[in-house]
């Protein structure tokens, strides 16, 4: 049907179904109760469209995933898998040289000679020996590390309350990361034990599929967790330093280096800050956790060995310094890449990057 004049068109839906009249207190007023003598400009009455917000929509949010929802923790878990599994696998040759330098320093005296000896004896394929337990183990660890860190950070912030969450934010970062790593290492430990054997004992096994059952057959299921205490000793301080220093470094970068507030930065700028903060945090992580890393390699390589045996053979100085330059380079690059990948995934699903603000707490 055509109308000769647009002004004659009328909506088929009564206007009172989608508009209302609000008084100056914001209360609904029925049209039948409106005094006809009041002019439209009266301060006691204001006409406004009545809009119903979308479910779970928060003003100014724009994020696709609701913060601290089950979907948020699922995204954090997936991001942890993507950030840890592939990155640790990519640096398998560096890890291989490091482990052999720790186990047999007489043969592998330096980084360059270590690469040369391993390449000559095993070829290019041998440089990636142990990649399968590395990929599976560190994917499982990353899932628990990042997923539970986000959970515990929120949990401890809520316990502390809004004021204390800001005041004691570094303690919250430390407690949250330590709690997450205790769980993450339980997932990692069996695969770490297989990895070290495969990398440092030629002929022990080709990889995960034959190495895991062979280790269980030789030492029982308990043998898979023989190194759990040294692993905690290495990974818990490492992760506490990794997360707490990252959070604080990123906050300082936004405060003193980046000229605009974080919420005004582009995604590429924020991801660059994440990588830089991760690299700097990784250097600190390597130094703090290196003695325990030497212990883990020694204990997993020698059947029946004790911490005392490791200290006696390597010495305190050896525990703290053997393989350290290589590990600083490896862990710095690794940690920077991990934070970059993790925050890239968060941006991909519509979440903000990590850091730059105090932990959130329920009000």
């Amino acid at each position: 049907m055509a109308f000769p004049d647009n002004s004659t068109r009328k909506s088929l839906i009564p206007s009172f179904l989608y508009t209302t009249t609000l008084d100056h207190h914001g209360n609904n007023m029925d049209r039948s109760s409106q005094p006809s003598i009041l002019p439209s400009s009266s301060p006691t009455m204001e006409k406004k469209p009545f809009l119903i917000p979308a479910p779970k929509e928060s003003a100014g949010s724009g994020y696709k995933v609701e913060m601290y929802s089950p979907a948020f923790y699922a995204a954090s878990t997936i991001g942890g898998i993507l950030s840890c599994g592939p990155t640790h696998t990519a640096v398998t040759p560096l890890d291989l040289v490091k482990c052999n330098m720790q186990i047999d320093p007489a043969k592998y005296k330096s980084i360059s000679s270590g690469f040369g000896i391993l390449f000559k004896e095993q070829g290019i394929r041998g440089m990636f020996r142990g990649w399968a337990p590395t990929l599976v183990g560190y994917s499982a660890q990353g899932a628990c590390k990042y997923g539970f860190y986000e959970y515990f950070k929120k949990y401890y912030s809520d316990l502390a309350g809004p004021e204390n969450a800001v005041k004691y934010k570094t303690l919250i970062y430390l407690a949250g990361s330590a709690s997450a790593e205790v769980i993450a290492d339980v997932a990692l430990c069996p695969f770490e034990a297989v990895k070290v054997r495969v990398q440092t004992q030629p002929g022990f096994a080709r990889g995960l599929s034959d190495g895991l059952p062979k280790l269980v057959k030789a030492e029982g299921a308990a043998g898979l967790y023989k190194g759990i205490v040294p692993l905690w000793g290495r990974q818990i301080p490492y992760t506490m330093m990794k997360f707490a220093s990252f959070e604080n470094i990123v906050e300082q970068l936004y405060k003193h280096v980046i000229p605009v507030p974080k919420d005004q930065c582009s995604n590429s700028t924020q991801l660059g800050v994440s990588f830089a903060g991760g690299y700097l945090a990784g250097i600190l992580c390597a130094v703090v956790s290196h003695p325990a890393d030497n212990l883990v390699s020694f204990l997993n390589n020698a059947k029946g060995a004790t911490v005392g045996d490791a200290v006696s053979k390597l010495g305190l100085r050896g525990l703290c310094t053997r393989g350290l330059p290589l590990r600083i380079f490896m862990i710095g690059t690794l940690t920077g890449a991990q934070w970059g990948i993790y925050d890239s995934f968060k941006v991909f699903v519509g979440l903000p990057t990590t850091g730059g603000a105090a932990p959130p707490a329920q009000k």
Side-chain angles (χ1 to χ4, degrees):
M1 176 183 292
F3 290 94
D5 185 0
N6 287 341
S7 64
T8 63
R9 297 185 185 182
K10 291 185 179 180
S11 172
L12 297 179
I13 303 175
S15 63
F16 66 81
L17 292 180
Y18 57 87
T19 62
T20 189
T21 305
L22 306 177
D23 62 14
H24 66 287
H25 295 296
N27 299 317
N28 292 344
M29 293 181 63
D30 187 84
R31 288 184 178 273
S32 62
S33 65
Q34 298 175 23
S36 60
I37 59 172
L38 286 176
S40 60
S41 61
S42 170
T44 62
M45 185 169 64
E46 181 182 359
K47 292 184 178 181
K48 294 181 180 178
F50 182 75
L51 302 178
I52 300 175
K56 296 184 180 180
E57 181 182 19
S58 57
S61 172
Y63 299 136
K64 300 174 188 175
V65 176
E66 184 184 358
M67 293 292 291
Y68 310 112
S69 64
F72 167 78
Y73 294 115
S76 302
T77 299
I78 295 171
I81 293 172
L82 295 175
S83 66
C84 289
T87 52
H88 276 277
T89 305
V91 297
T92 297
L94 291 173
D95 190 41
L96 181 66
V97 173
K98 174 189 70 69
C99 286
N100 280 280
M101 286 178 66
Q102 291 170 332
I103 297 304
D104 192 354
K107 181 177 180 180
Y108 304 95
K109 298 179 180 179
S110 67
I111 297 170
S112 58
S113 67
F115 272 107
I117 292 170
L118 287 170
F119 182 77
K120 183 178 179 180
E121 292 180 350
Q122 302 176 32
I124 187 66
R125 187 176 179 181
M127 299 302 293
F128 283 89
R129 199 176 45 184
W131 71 268
T134 299
L135 177 62
V136 176
Y138 282 93
S139 293
Q141 187 216 34
C144 298
K145 185 198 298 268
Y146 283 88
F148 280 109
Y149 172 68
E150 299 285 8
Y151 171 80
F152 283 118
K153 182 169 70 169
K154 182 70 168 64
Y155 177 74
Y156 292 139
S157 297
D158 290 345
L159 286 181
E163 259 187 58
N164 288 329
V166 175
K167 187 176 180 181
Y168 301 109
K169 59 187 177 182
T170 299
L171 290 178
I172 289 172
Y173 300 145
L174 292 170
S177 56
S179 300
E181 190 59 39
V182 169
I183 300 170
D185 288 344
V186 173
L188 169 64
C189 194
F191 304 100
E192 181 76 0
V194 175
K195 176 186 78 73
V196 171
R197 289 291 182 92
V198 169
Q199 289 182 335
T200 60
Q201 294 183 10
F204 172 77
R206 294 186 306 275
L208 179 61
S209 59
D210 58 337
L212 183 62
K214 189 172 184 179
L215 184 57
V216 172
K217 185 177 180 181
E219 300 187 23
L224 296 175
Y225 285 93
K226 183 176 68 173
I228 186 65
V229 174
L231 189 62
W232 277 330
R234 180 188 79 184
Q235 289 297 134
I236 291 176
Y238 168 90
T239 301
M240 291 171 72
M241 180 64 74
K242 174 178 179 176
F243 283 86
S245 61
F246 172 82
E247 296 266 15
N248 282 288
I249 288 170
V250 165
E251 183 179 353
Q252 294 305 310
L253 288 175
Y254 281 117
K255 188 179 292 184
H256 300 293
V257 178
I258 308 301
V260 294
K262 178 183 177 181
D263 57 4
Q264 297 178 24
C265 293
S266 65
N267 286 339
S268 58
T269 299
Q270 293 189 38
L271 292 175
V273 170
S274 294
F275 178 81
Y279 200 98
L280 293 173
I283 294 173
L284 299 175
C285 292
V287 174
V288 167
S289 63
H290 193 65
D293 183 63
N294 274 318
L295 282 177
V296 170
S297 296
F298 187 90
L299 293 176
N300 280 321
N301 183 67
K303 185 176 180 179
T306 66
V307 173
D309 295 333
V311 174
S312 176
K313 183 173 181 180
L314 300 177
L316 289 176
R317 183 177 179 181
L319 280 175
C320 295
T321 61
R322 183 163 291 155
L324 181 59
L326 178 59
R327 192 158 186 266
I328 286 176
F329 174 74
M330 184 180 81
I331 297 300
T333 305
L334 199 68
T335 308
Q338 285 175 355
W339 279 114
I341 294 170
Y342 178 68
D343 277 348
S344 293
F345 183 77
K346 289 177 75 174
V347 168
F348 174 75
V349 299
L351 288 166
T353 57
T354 310
Q362 295 281 5
K363 294 182 180 180

